[in-house]
Amino acid sequence: MDDLKSKYLTLIDSVGDETGLEDLRVQALGKKGEISLQMRELGKMTPEERQTAGPALNALKDEINSALIAKKSALGDAALDARLRSEWLDVTLPARDRPAGSIHPISQVTEEVTAIFADMGFSVAEGPQIESDWYNFDALNIPGHHPARAEMDTFYTHRSDGDDRPPHVLRTHTSPVQIRTMEAQGAPLRIICPGRVYRADYDQTHTPMFNQIEGLAIDKDISMANLKWVLEEFAAAFFEVDKIEVRFRASHFPFTEPSAEIDFRCSWVDGQLKLGEGDDWLEAGGSGMVHPKVLEAAGVDSSVYQGFAFGLGIDRLAMLKYGIPDLRAFFDSDLRWLRHYGFQPRDVPTLHGGLSK
Ligand code: DAH
């Protein structure tokens, strides 16, 4: 028994893997194992012999068993150690990109435009999309009978029978935010107002909802020259070219006097738009010096203050800058389109970091 014991303890001690260990278990304690065979011999012994041999054999069996169990756990620990040593993970590596949605071109362009005007000292103002007809029209010097009201294809909200207050409208432009902000902040003032506007119109270049950005600067000594400089600075920064010439074309808006259509110098080469050079002009929006009646409607003293205003189409700016042909696609929510034209959420546009990426 002592021979068996030292034989197996030595073998268990030196075995190097779990299969070897299992072989040893079978060899010693399996059905036909050496120790099991010894156990069977007990039956042939005299009772006296059995009394000493029985407990001794049992003790041997227990000892071998414990040695097997201890070795098994030691081998497991060693295997784990080896794996931990060979497998490693660099937690400082950047995470793998996961498709996580994209920034819509309208949002991207709104951010870009905002960054540029913020750099020129304009802050962002907002107003409601459901507007009273006073803010949307009257305060902007568009009285009830004015043809501009009919031209704008306005959506009117419904009033219940007997309610004879004038209906609210879905704002047809961002200009009412001029009034609301002047009322709230007074003058001087320098703001831009990006947002959704609504008109009952639908074709390749018109959707019933679209986006505008309004600009307003009020102070004591503001002129059309300031307006022109601001628009030129904006256009060059937005289209990421050195310089863009801006042309004013005489026009009429009820809320500005004088009024001017804004054109950017451009050319079309093989269907590709180039801004800043060439013999063509691109219509970008409307502008002018704020009409005294508008200032008065908003509680600003027009004998002391004056200023300029402008309105640009955000969707149109996005289409021009990023070569998007059909306005309607902006609002289709087609995932393939969004993946193609969308922007990376982490690439926030800044003037110094680059507006678009
Ligand atoms: N509100 C005008 C529109 O939607 C655009 C506009 C023209 C805005 C001239 C202005 C402006 O601020 O001065 O058609």
Side-chain angles (χ1 to χ4, degrees), residues 321-347:
K321 181 163 178 179
Y322 296 113
I324 299 167
D326 191 330
L327 178 70
R328 291 170 295 193
F330 278 125
F331 312 110
D332 280 346
S333 300
D334 182 331
L335 274 180
R336 292 163 303 174
W337 188 93
L338 291 168
R339 285 192 189 111
H340 180 78
Y341 286 109
F343 292 81
Q344 282 298 310
R346 285 182 221 99
D347 292 338

Side-chain angles (χ1 to χ4, degrees), residues 152 172-173 175 178 199 212 214 253 255-256 286-288 309-311:
M152 277 189 166
T172 57
H173 50 182
S175 303
Q178 291 189 24
R199 289 180 205 178
Q212 288 190 331
E214 192 82 12
F253 301 105
F255 30 90
T256 44
S287 67
F310 60 83

Side-chain angles (χ1 to χ4, degrees), residues 298-334:
V300 170
D301 186 347
S302 65
S303 68
V304 179
Y305 289 104
Q306 58 190 323
F308 65 70
F310 60 83
L312 305 168
I314 292 183
D315 318 72
R316 190 168 154 73
L317 288 172
M319 289 168 83
L320 292 170
K321 181 163 178 179
Y322 296 113
I324 299 167
D326 191 330
L327 178 70
R328 291 170 295 193
F330 278 125
F331 312 110
D332 280 346
S333 300
D334 182 331

Side-chain angles (χ1 to χ4, degrees), residues 9 20 27 50 77 136 144 151 158 164 215 263 272 315 339 345:
L9 289 183
Q27 203 182 317
R50 209 181 298 146
D77 287 352
N136 195 79
E151 278 162 26
H158 181 71
D164 51 8
D263 292 348
Q272 278 276 94
D315 318 72
R339 285 192 189 111

Side-chain angles (χ1 to χ4, degrees), residues 203-220:
D203 60 37
Q204 193 178 344
T205 51
H206 297 90
T207 50
M209 189 280 290
F210 58 105
N211 297 270
Q212 288 190 331
I213 191 147
E214 192 82 12
L216 177 69
I218 303 291
D219 213 325
K220 290 181 178 164

